[in-house]
Amino acid sequence: MATQDSPAGLDVGKKVDIRVLEAIARKGDLSIILYFEEDLAKTSTYTQDIMEYSKYPEDNRPFIELVSFMTFQREMSPCFDDALTTVPLMITICSNSEEYNGKSVVKGVLPFLDEMDIS
C-alpha cells in the first residue's frame, strides 16, 4: 500500500510541540484541529463532528481549531506562553488524511491537562 506524504510532515502518531503546530496553522495552508477526546478524534471525521456539534459554541465542543485554542488560552492566562517554554505542550497527531472546505485537516489530541504540571 503506497503512503501519501503527510501535510507539513505531520505523521500519525508523531508528537509535536503546540507552538510548532501554531506556526504551521497560521500559514493558512491547512487546518489543525485539537481534540480533547482521543476516541472521538480516532472514530469520526472532522466533517461529521462539525455537523454534530454545530449547535454548540466553539468553546463547548470536544474539539477546537488550534489558533482559536491558543488565542483563548492567552486571554485566560497571560503567562501561557511562558508556561509553554517551561513545559512544552506536545500534541499527538491522530489523523492527517481529511479535507474540509478545500483544506487539508490535521487532527491532534491534547494530553490530559492533569498529566501536565504548568505551575
Side-chain angles (χ1 to χ4, degrees):
M1 180 170 142
T3 59
Q4 126 185 40
D5 290 337
S6 60
L10 300 175
D11 299 323
V12 172
K14 186 175 187 176
K15 292 184 184 244
V16 184
D17 188 310
I18 197 165
R19 296 168 293 179
V20 171
L21 292 175
E22 180 182 25
I24 293 168
R26 288 195 180 275
K27 289 179 183 177
D29 299 334
L30 56 91
S31 297
I32 300 178
I33 311 302
L34 300 178
Y35 278 73
F36 302 104
E37 301 171 10
E38 185 174 5
D39 288 344
L40 180 64
K42 289 183 174 183
T43 61
S44 67
T45 68
Y46 182 59
T47 301
Q48 290 170 331
D49 296 337
I50 285 290
M51 289 173 36
E52 182 173 342
Y53 292 96
S54 65
K55 62 184 173 255
Y56 298 99
E58 185 179 36
D59 60 346
N60 284 336
R61 298 175 184 169
F63 57 89
I64 188 169
E65 194 273 329
L66 182 135
V67 174
S68 295
F69 174 80
M70 297 298 279
T71 300
F72 177 74
Q73 291 300 320
R74 289 178 177 122
E75 289 171 357
M76 296 296 293
S77 176
C79 64
F80 181 68
D81 286 311
D82 291 337
L84 291 177
T85 300
T86 306
V87 181
L89 181 55
M90 302 303 287
I91 305 302
T92 303
I93 305 303
C94 67
S95 172
N96 60 16
S97 59
E98 295 181 44
E99 282 197 9
Y100 183 76
N101 284 345
K103 288 172 82 172
S104 292
V105 172
V106 173
K107 295 187 332 189
V109 178
L110 281 160
F112 290 108
L113 296 181
D114 61 353
E115 294 174 3
M116 299 179 56
D117 179 14
I118 59 171
S119 57

